[in-house]
């Protein structure tokens, strides 16, 4: 499903009585060079929510991460070099970077807590 430049992909895999879950939303940067991914996954023992960037040169990595499924975490491109992550004040991130880069390509991350 694509809406307002955000591609949403939902995949659910189930084996046995406890389902595995993987859901993600993608957004392409305004200049078309990079992609942003918000993902939530869980298996029988663990769960995680994270936001990752995929650079044009193939490098990628998570820059914001939480334990557990947090479907209200949102992220979008403010402009071609700035990402906004919306999250709840009560969440405790295990990973939270304010800037990421690949060679000379630098992306700033702004956090909005509510």
């Amino acid at each position: 499903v694509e809406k307002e430049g955000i591609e949403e992909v939902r995949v659910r895999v189930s084996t046995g009585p406890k389902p595995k879950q993987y859901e993600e939303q993608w957004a392409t940067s305004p200049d078309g060079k990079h992609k942003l991914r918000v993902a939530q996954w869980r298996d029988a023992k663990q769960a995680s929510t994270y936001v990752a960037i995929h650079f044009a040169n193939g490098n990628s990595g998570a820059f914001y991460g939480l334990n557990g499924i947090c479907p209200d975490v949102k992220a979008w491109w403010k402009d071609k070099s700035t990402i906004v992550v919306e999250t709840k004040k009560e969440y405790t991130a295990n990973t939270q970077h304010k800037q990421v880069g690949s060679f000379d390509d630098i992306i700033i991350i702004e956090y909005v807590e509510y």
Side-chain angles (χ1 to χ4, degrees), residues 42-57:
R42 83 171 149 217
D43 61 19
K45 297 179 183 178
Q46 299 179 52
S48 179
T49 298
Y50 64 89
V51 184
I53 185 167
H54 297 257
F55 288 93
N57 63 11

Side-chain angles (χ1 to χ4, degrees), residues 4 27-28 39-40 75 88 100 110:
E4 297 178 19
T28 302
Q40 302 160 12
K88 289 188 172 182
V100 291
E110 297 177 357

